[in-house]
Every structure is written in C-alpha cells, then in structure tokens.
C-alpha cells in the first residue's frame, strides 16, 4: 500500500500498520510527540490500522486536532481522579474545547481546595502512565456495562446513538469511559495541567434537566506554555465584560427584575446612545427610512410569517389559545411589522429598493442556562432593517449591506476580530424550514456568489440558516473563547409570498419582491459587551461616557475649572470637574482608574494664561496647551472617530 504524507513524499508497505507504527517509521521523534492521525482529512486514533492507499498526516500538539486529542485524554484523567476521590459521582460528558477541556459530573460543586486535590490526584495518574485501551461492544452489552458501573448518563447517551453506530470505550487502569476518541496511547505524555474553575451546567444544556457540576481545565506539553496561558487568564478576568461592566457602573442586574434583563446605568446608556445616533445617521445617509412599530402583536401575525410554527418556543406568549383568549406575543423580530408598512400603499418598480430601518427592542425567551451578562439576554435592542428589492437589485443591495457592516466594524476597531459564515439549511431536518430544496439551493448559491465577489474569506455551516432563508453570520469570540453572532445579513425569497407583498413592474404586472433582513451593528447590548472586552473599558474617546475630567489643584481654581468645563460642553465634549478637597495626585490616580481619556489639570498659571495642563492615557503628560487648541484636537478626534494608540498607560499605572 502507498501512504502519501503531508510533504508529498510516499511510504510503501506490504503489510497493514497502525498510524503510530508509520509515525515511528518516519521518525522516532515524531512518534514521541504524535497525538493523533489524519487519514484522508479525517482525524483518527493513533491505534487506527491503515490497510489501504491513503493520505496520512501525523498530528502533534501543534495541530488543532492533535491538541484536542491531548486535552481530551486529560479530561479522562480528570474523570478518573474524581471517581477515585468521590466514588459515588456519576459521569456525564468531557470533551476538549478551544481553551482546554471540561467534564460534567453529577456531584456537589467543587471549591478551590477540592480542585487542588483533584489536580494532585491527576498528577499521580499521569505518573502511573497507564496505557489507554480502546474496545467496542454491541449496543446491549455496552448498556449492560454502564449499568453495572452505575453510570446512568452514559446509558442514556448509548440509547440515543443511531442503531448502526459503533459504540467504543477507552480504559486506563480501572477507569472506563464511553468515548469515540481519539486519545493518546497513554497518560504518560501529559505534562502541564491546571484545573481552572468549577461551575454549574444543565445536563445536555437544558434547564429542564438536572444541574451538574462542570470542571474546566487546560493542558499543555510545556510548563512555560501553561504559565503563559495562566497569565493570559488573568488578563481575561480584567477584561470580562460581566465583571468590568459592573465595576465601571455601565450596567447591573437585579434578581427581582429577572435574569437576562440588565439595567443599563447612565454611563452604559450614554455609550449605547452614541452608538445608536451614529448608526441611525449613517443609515439615513445610505438611503434608509425609519419606522417605529409595536413591541407585540397578535399570534395571527406570527402564524402568517411562520414564526408561530418555527419559533414559538423562543417567544414570550401572552394569553392562552386553549381558553379561546386573544393571544399576543412580544416580538422576537421586526420583519412582519415592516412588511405591513410596505403593504400600506401600492408600490411601483420605480419605488424599489425600499430600505426600512428601525432601532428595535426585541424579546426572546432564552434558556436560563444560556444567559450571560450583556451577550445573551431576553430583552435587547438591535439595529434592524429590511430591504424590499427587485430581483435585479438583490446582488448590489446585499453587497451594500455587507459593506455597511464592515464599515461599522472598522470604525469600532473590531474588523480583525471577526469571521464570516454562510449559514445554510439542513436538508436532513426539513420540518425546521420552509421552501423547497430548489429554493434553498438557489438562495444559498446566490449568497455564495455575492460573498465571493466581495472577496470575503468565509466558511459554510449546515443547519444554521433562518427558517426562511440562508444568512451571512459575522462571528466573534468573547474573552473566554465562546463564539457569538454579532451581525447577520439574511436572504429571503419566501416571505413576500407569505405576506402577499408585490410591486407593479413596467408592464403593469404584479411581481413578488425579494427581501434582505440585516443588522448594521447587531445587538447594541452585545456590541457594548464586545467593546468592553476589546478595550478593557478604555474605549475610543468618541465612545467614552466621560471624555475629559478637569482637575483643579486646589479650591481656589474651582471657578476656572468650571469655566473650562463649560467651554468643553459648549463644543459637545463630555466633561466633568473633580472639585473635591483632595490632593491632585489622588485625583489623577482616580481619573486613570476610571479610564477617562483626558484630564486637564488647572492652577494659577493655567488660569492667568488661559491654558490647561493636558494628561492623556495615550501619551501621558502632554504639557500645557491653549484651551482652544485642546478643544480643536479633541473635537477632531471625536468627529473622525479616531482610535488612538495607548503608549504609556501601563507605566503610569
């Protein structure tokens, strides 16, 4: 058999060999660091037997799939340690993730001391160097094995597997786990481990199920890499919007108000207001007209759109159909409302495209286990729009929507933090979608063509489309590596039929328009969370809720400080005065801690000469300047939405 390696070279063997044996034949050094294999682009175990011609790549920790196998094995070591120290614990699942691994257990929560004990036990297991042995069983024998070992969650997982699925297990010493793999050959290669935290997680992600204990950890091949990652984690904690946003008094939550219903405080509200005014002005300059539509509607509306059949579980429903009441629902989106704005008068082909924009407050009944700070909430505000277009306009208008989104991302300094995904339907889950296979192939093909013409580097994902059409999802990760959709642009050739929307063409015929659903900046709350984490609260000046703080060096100069503030305010610069009877050094430190871009220190010389002593988080002490010059500089920075580089702040603090 001929084995083609990654570098194009070919190995020939007369007998079958395992992936590991081939790795050893290539290089003993490669075999020592091998974590998994890749046969014809499919990740496999090192134990996998190769018995025919193929392309083979040996995966190490430097490869993502190799890293995943390494960390997945470490999750099994964690589970074995838990079973040794807490034998009554029931095992759930333990996958690798981007940042390491986790394992879910049915047991009481672990505190930091317990995690430290588990770490010690894991190191003992690693030192024992047990070989990992893979074996398979028929379905009933697999169920019997897990029942014998009193693992009900594993039994449930086996029962849910397809009838023809191979059921495999891995054993290390006396520990056995249901797992598809791949895994390392033994625990011995695992070098540097750390259990990060313990939290709650619902079994299978549903709040209807039992709350389990989830332990997060990570693993590396070198202690130096682990230490570097732990330093990175400390930085993450400083940037976590859920923590930092509260410390900065941008938002808060209250139990009696409800989960997923954050309160934006004055500073956070100011940032949202700035973003909203910018987006609305930008959209207007691009030909959008604004609507204002109700926050709720009768169920009849959602039945026409299809949301009642395809999205009802995600909606807040008011009233009960069974009691023959008039049933309403809070809106999860604005599109059906804007369709009736369109239908209020007859449209000609000359009227199109029509671009309806709305700053929409929406409501979605998210699972409580999914709620997090500002990124996943039940009430939120979005820069929503629907474009009603002729078929010959669809390409140009779709690409304009993408260009607007890219412009917004670039202005905010976020353009390098996103990925683009073409979200398609799942042909194996037909009941989730409306429209024929031909409809889906047509719309997905159109979108793929538009994205290619824009030279966007995008991936494709099945099963992520809206029920009525494919979409471009612009994705970003938070500081913990969790990915969310930030901006979405959807192609819809179906709902105009549902709502009997038409325009009159040049021949006097009624023609169905096409619809583009889009956001320009997405959800304002989620964007604020993203900005907090991106800038660690040190927002670009134009976004700051307080842009300048005036610091008189003593009470004698409070009046001059107020005059300076008045002049700043006259020029629409957000400014305050710190006139407390505190030492100037204390005031400067306080201003830095509150992440305010500029502070103006004023005393006798400044008052006599109409000056201000400028200190910024960008250059530190910028010296004395004429107040008018300072105002001109800051106004220009705000007008152009400049993102200044911070050069000296770390030294200052």
């Amino acid at each position: 058999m001929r084995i083609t390696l990654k570098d194009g070279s070919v190995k020939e063997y007369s007998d079958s060999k395992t992936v590991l044996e081939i790795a050893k034949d290539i290089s003993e050094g490669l075999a020592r660091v091998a974590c998994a294999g890749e046969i014809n682009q499919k990740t496999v175990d090192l134990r996998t037997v190769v018995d025919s011609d193929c392309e083979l790549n040996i995966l190490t920790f430097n490869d993502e799939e190799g890293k995943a196998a390494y960390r997945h094995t470490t999750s099994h070591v964690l589970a074995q340690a838990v079973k040794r120290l807490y034998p009554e614990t029931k095992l759930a699942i333990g996958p690798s993730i981007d940042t390491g691994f986790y394992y879910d257990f049915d047991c009481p929560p672990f505190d930091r001391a317990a995690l430290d004990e588990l770490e010690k036990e894991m190191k003992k297991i690693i030192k024992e160097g047990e070989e990992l042995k893979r074996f398979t069983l028929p379905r009933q024998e697999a169920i019997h094995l897990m029942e014998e070992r009193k693992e009900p969650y594993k039994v449930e997982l086996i029962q849910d597997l397809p009838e023809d699925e191979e059921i495999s297990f891995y054993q290390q010493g006396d520990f056995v786990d249901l797992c598809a793999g791949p895994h390392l050959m033994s625990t011995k290669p695992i070098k540097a481990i750390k259990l990060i935290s313990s939290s709650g997680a619902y079994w299978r992600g549903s709040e209807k199920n039992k709350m389990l204990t989830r332990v997060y950890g990570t693993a590396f091949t070198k202690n130096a890499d682990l230490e570097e990652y732990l330093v990175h984690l400390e930085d993450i904690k400083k940037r976590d919007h859920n923590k930092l946003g509260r410390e900065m008094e941008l938002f808060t939550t209250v139990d009696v108000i409800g989960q997923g219903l954050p309160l934006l405080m004055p500073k956070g509200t100011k940032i949202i207001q700035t973003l909203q005014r910018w987006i609305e002005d930008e959209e207007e300059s691009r030909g959008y007209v604004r609507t204002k539509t109700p926050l709720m509607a009768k169920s009849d509306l959602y039945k026409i759109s299809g949301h009642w059949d395809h999205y009802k579980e995600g909606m807040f429903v008011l009233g009960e159909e069974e009691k023959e009441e008039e049933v309403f629902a809070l809106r999860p989106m604005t599109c059906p409302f804007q369709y009736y704005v369109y239908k209020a008068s007859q449209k000609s082909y000359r009227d199109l495209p029509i671009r309806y924009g709305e700053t929409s407050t929406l409501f979605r009944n998210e699972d409580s286990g999914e709620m997090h700070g500002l990124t996943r909430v039940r009430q939120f505000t979005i820069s929503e729009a629907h474009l009603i277009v002729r078929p010959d306009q669809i390409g140009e208008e779709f690409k304009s929507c993408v260009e607007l989104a890219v412009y917004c991302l670039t202005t905010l300094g976020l353009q390098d933090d996103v990925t683009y995904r073409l979200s398609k339907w799942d042909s194996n889950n037909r009941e989730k979608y409306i429209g024929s296979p031909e409809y889906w192939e047509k719309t997905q093909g159109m979108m793929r063509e538009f994205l290619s013409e824009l030279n966007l580097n995008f991936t494709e994902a099945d099963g992520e489309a809206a029920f009525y059409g494919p979409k471009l999802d612009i994705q970003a990760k938070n500081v913990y590596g969790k990915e969310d959709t930030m901006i979405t642009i959807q192609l819809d050739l179906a709902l105009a039929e549902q709502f009997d929307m038409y325009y009159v063409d040049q021949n006097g015929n009624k023609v169905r328009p096409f619809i583009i659903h889009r956001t320009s900046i997405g959800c304002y709350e989620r964007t604020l969370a993203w900005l907090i984490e991106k800038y660690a609260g040190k927002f670009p000046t134009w976004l700051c809720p307080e842009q300048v703080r005036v610091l008189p060096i003593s009470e004698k100069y409070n009046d001059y400080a107020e005059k300076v503030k008045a002049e700043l305010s006259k020029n629409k610069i957000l400014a305050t005065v710190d006139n407390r009877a505190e030492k100037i050094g204390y005031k400067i430190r306080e201003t830095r801690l509150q992440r305010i871009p500029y502070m103006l220190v004023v005393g006798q010389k400044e008052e006599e000469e109409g000056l201000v002593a400028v200190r910024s988080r960008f250059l530190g002490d910028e010296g004395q300047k004429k107040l008018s010059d300072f105002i001109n500089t800051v106004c220009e920075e705000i007008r152009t939405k400049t993102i200044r580089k911070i050069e000296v702040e770390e030294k200052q603090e």
Side-chain angles (χ1 to χ4, degrees):
M1 59 182 179
R2 289 169 57 86
I3 309 300
T4 304
L5 303 178
K6 186 179 181 180
D7 63 1
S9 63
V10 176
K11 289 276 188 180
E12 294 190 5
Y13 301 99
S14 56
D15 299 318
S16 60
K17 292 187 178 295
T18 66
V19 172
L20 182 62
E21 286 171 337
I22 296 172
K24 286 180 179 177
D25 187 48
I26 297 169
S27 159
E28 285 291 339
L30 177 62
R32 281 194 295 272
V33 297
C35 298
E38 188 178 61
I39 296 177
N40 296 333
Q41 300 183 336
K42 180 182 177 183
T43 305
V44 298
D45 206 278
L46 290 171
R47 301 160 187 77
T48 300
V49 175
V50 182
D51 56 10
S52 61
D53 294 356
C54 67
E55 294 180 356
L56 174 65
N57 182 21
I58 307 300
L59 301 174
T60 71
F61 192 82
N62 292 327
D63 302 294
E64 287 305 312
E65 293 301 327
K67 191 180 279 113
Y70 185 97
R71 288 170 168 173
H72 194 178
T73 303
T74 314
S75 81
H76 279 218
V77 173
L78 166 61
Q80 184 178 7
V82 169
K83 292 293 281 187
R84 280 188 181 182
L85 299 183
Y86 307 92
E88 299 305 311
T89 296
K90 309 302 178 191
L91 304 175
I93 57 172
S96 65
I97 55 177
D98 286 350
T99 56
F101 60 88
Y102 70 78
Y103 210 113
D104 290 346
F105 304 99
D106 187 351
C107 67
F110 297 113
D111 59 16
R112 185 65 248 177
L115 293 179
D116 291 342
E117 285 302 311
L118 284 171
E119 261 186 47
K120 290 179 184 177
E121 193 63 33
M122 289 174 70
K123 289 174 181 176
K124 289 181 185 177
I125 293 167
I126 292 167
K127 192 172 182 180
E128 291 165 9
E130 290 281 4
E131 180 185 351
L132 273 80
K133 299 175 183 177
R134 185 181 187 273
F135 63 93
T136 62
L137 290 175
R139 177 178 295 269
Q140 289 307 314
E141 289 183 35
I143 290 172
H144 180 65
L145 174 64
M146 290 295 99
E147 286 176 338
E148 274 190 336
R149 298 180 75 90
K150 298 179 180 178
E151 298 292 357
Y153 298 100
K154 302 295 183 181
V155 171
E156 182 180 329
L157 290 171
I158 295 170
Q159 290 171 335
D160 287 348
L161 289 173
E163 286 294 330
D164 59 350
E165 186 83 6
E166 181 181 68
I167 302 172
S168 60
F169 297 84
Y170 282 81
Q171 180 170 0
Q172 56 204 53
D174 59 355
F175 176 77
V176 176
D177 203 352
L178 171 74
C179 190
H183 281 286
L184 302 179
M185 298 300 291
S186 76
T187 62
K188 193 174 181 181
I190 301 171
K191 301 298 181 186
I193 62 169
K194 184 66 181 178
L195 297 184
I196 305 299
S197 64
S198 174
S199 62
Y202 290 110
W203 169 235
R204 292 190 155 181
S206 173
E207 61 183 336
K208 297 176 183 177
N209 294 332
K210 187 171 183 179
M211 176 71 78
L212 305 178
T213 294
R214 174 171 294 179
V215 176
Y216 285 98
T218 195
F220 291 86
T221 56
K222 300 175 184 175
N223 280 314
D225 292 339
L226 174 61
E227 291 302 318
E228 183 180 336
Y229 176 72
L230 295 178
V231 170
H232 170 65
L233 277 188
E234 288 304 311
D235 180 60
I236 282 174
K237 290 176 184 176
K238 294 175 185 175
R239 291 176 179 270
D240 182 351
H241 89 274
N242 212 9
K243 177 176 181 289
L244 186 53
R246 296 169 197 273
E247 290 175 358
M248 294 181 66
E249 297 183 348
L250 300 176
F251 75 96
T252 189
T253 52
V254 182
D255 288 343
V256 296
I257 291 175
Q259 193 177 13
L261 299 171
L263 301 174
L264 287 172
M265 300 174 77
K267 292 178 183 178
T269 302
K270 188 63 185 176
I271 297 174
I272 296 290
Q273 181 190 57
T274 301
L275 289 169
Q276 182 179 325
R277 288 176 174 173
W278 165 53
I279 291 297
E280 290 180 353
D281 288 347
E282 183 62 34
E283 289 180 346
E284 187 173 340
S285 73
R286 293 173 183 247
Y288 286 78
V289 292
R290 306 209 68 77
T291 64
K292 186 172 177 58
T293 55
L295 300 181
M296 67 175 73
K298 296 195 302 185
S299 59
D300 306 52
L301 177 72
Y302 305 115
K303 288 174 182 175
I304 296 171
S305 69
H307 289 99
W308 202 251
D309 292 331
H310 295 274
Y311 201 79
K312 185 179 177 183
E313 287 189 2
M315 298 165 66
F316 289 101
V317 178
L318 312 174
E320 300 180 35
E321 288 182 294
E322 295 77 10
K323 295 182 180 179
E324 298 185 356
E325 298 175 345
E326 193 171 39
V327 177
F328 287 78
L330 298 177
R331 66 179 184 185
M333 68 291 296
T334 310
C335 44
F337 299 87
Q338 290 189 330
Y339 298 161
Y340 281 98
V341 175
Y342 177 86
K343 284 166 60 72
S345 63
Q346 183 169 290
K347 303 297 190 297
S348 160
Y349 71 96
R350 294 188 183 91
D351 297 317
L352 273 55
I354 296 176
R355 308 178 187 96
Y356 292 122
E358 184 164 336
T359 302
S360 307
T361 299
L362 305 179
F363 306 86
R364 295 185 184 172
N365 191 11
E366 302 279 5
D367 290 338
S368 60
E370 292 293 317
M371 236 66 70
H372 177 69
L374 296 177
T375 57
R376 186 74 68 171
V377 292
R378 287 176 168 155
Q379 176 184 310
F380 56 94
T381 304
I382 193 168
S383 58
E384 194 166 23
H386 298 88
L387 289 74
I388 319 298
V389 305
R390 300 192 311 261
D392 62 293
Q393 297 169 329
I394 189 79
E396 181 182 347
E397 291 297 320
F398 181 87
K399 287 185 277 188
S400 292
C401 291
V402 177
E403 287 163 358
L404 172 57
V406 171
Y407 162 75
C408 292
L409 291 169
T410 303
T411 303
L412 294 170
L414 302 170
Q415 71 276 13
D416 295 330
D417 302 329
V418 301
T419 56
Y420 298 88
R421 183 182 76 191
L422 170 53
S423 296
K424 305 183 296 183
W425 81 319
D426 180 359
S427 58
N428 297 316
N429 191 9
R430 290 289 305 278
E431 66 277 5
K432 183 180 173 183
Y433 306 94
I434 63 174
S436 65
E438 292 75 21
Y439 163 80
W440 283 95
E441 289 306 312
K442 176 182 178 181
T443 51
Q444 290 171 179
M446 290 171 66
M447 186 173 285
R448 190 180 292 112
E449 181 182 339
F450 300 153
L451 295 175
S452 297
E453 288 172 1
L454 287 167
N455 294 317
L456 275 187
N457 183 18
F458 64 94
T459 59
E460 300 190 14
D462 292 332
E464 296 293 339
F467 70 84
Y468 49 79
K471 54 182 179 164
L472 170 67
D473 286 324
I474 301 179
Q475 306 287 109
K477 293 181 179 180
N478 68 10
V479 289
Y480 294 103
K482 183 180 183 301
E483 187 172 81
D484 282 304
T485 299
M486 308 307 296
I487 296 173
T488 186
I489 304 169
Q490 304 172 10
L491 203 56
D492 172 12
L493 312 187
L495 289 185
E497 181 77 30
Q498 306 274 95
F499 283 89
D500 190 27
M501 298 165 65
Y502 67 88
Y503 64 92
V504 178
D505 70 8
Q506 56 266 47
N507 299 316
N509 299 319
K510 291 183 177 180
V511 181
R512 299 292 184 205
F514 289 172
I515 301 169
I516 301 172
H517 308 240
R518 51 106 290 203
T519 60
S520 50
I521 197 177
C523 166
Y524 284 99
E525 289 83 355
R526 185 173 289 180
T527 299
L528 176 57
W530 192 8
L531 289 166
I532 293 169
E533 295 186 348
K534 167 74 175 182
Y535 293 107
K538 301 159 190 169
F539 306 109
T541 301
W542 73 277
L543 276 176
C544 287
E546 184 179 352
Q547 295 159 337
V548 180
R549 183 171 292 180
V550 187
L551 309 178
I553 62 173
S554 73
E555 293 179 8
K556 291 190 295 183
Y557 307 106
N558 284 352
D559 288 345
Y560 179 61
E562 291 292 344
K563 289 179 182 177
V564 170
K565 183 218 171 203
E567 198 63 27
L568 294 166
S569 299
K570 188 190 301 182
N571 286 275
K572 302 189 183 310
I573 297 171
L574 302 175
T576 61
V577 174
D578 185 350
N579 55 17
R580 295 175 298 167
E582 299 284 356
K583 292 182 178 179
I584 191 64
Y586 177 82
K587 291 181 181 181
I588 290 171
R589 286 192 298 275
E590 282 278 292
T591 306
R592 284 186 192 143
L593 289 171
Q594 293 185 34
R595 300 169 175 82
I596 297 165
Y598 294 98
M599 60 185 95
L600 303 181
V601 180
V602 295
Q604 181 178 351
K605 184 175 181 181
E606 287 77 21
E607 182 174 22
E608 289 174 351
E609 300 181 21
L611 302 173
V612 288
V614 181
R615 299 178 69 93
S616 74
R617 69 178 186 209
F618 312 107
L619 299 175
D621 188 349
E622 296 190 18
Q624 290 179 324
K625 297 182 181 181
K626 289 183 179 179
L627 178 58
S628 59
D629 290 345
F630 172 78
I631 288 173
N632 290 337
T633 299
V634 174
C635 284
E636 181 66 7
E637 182 182 340
I638 293 169
R639 185 190 67 79
T640 57
K641 299 178 176 59
T642 301
I643 301 174
R644 290 189 67 185
K645 183 179 178 182
I646 298 173
E647 298 180 2
V648 298
E649 188 172 13
E650 295 305 317
K651 294 178 182 177
Q652 290 177 337
E653 293 182 355

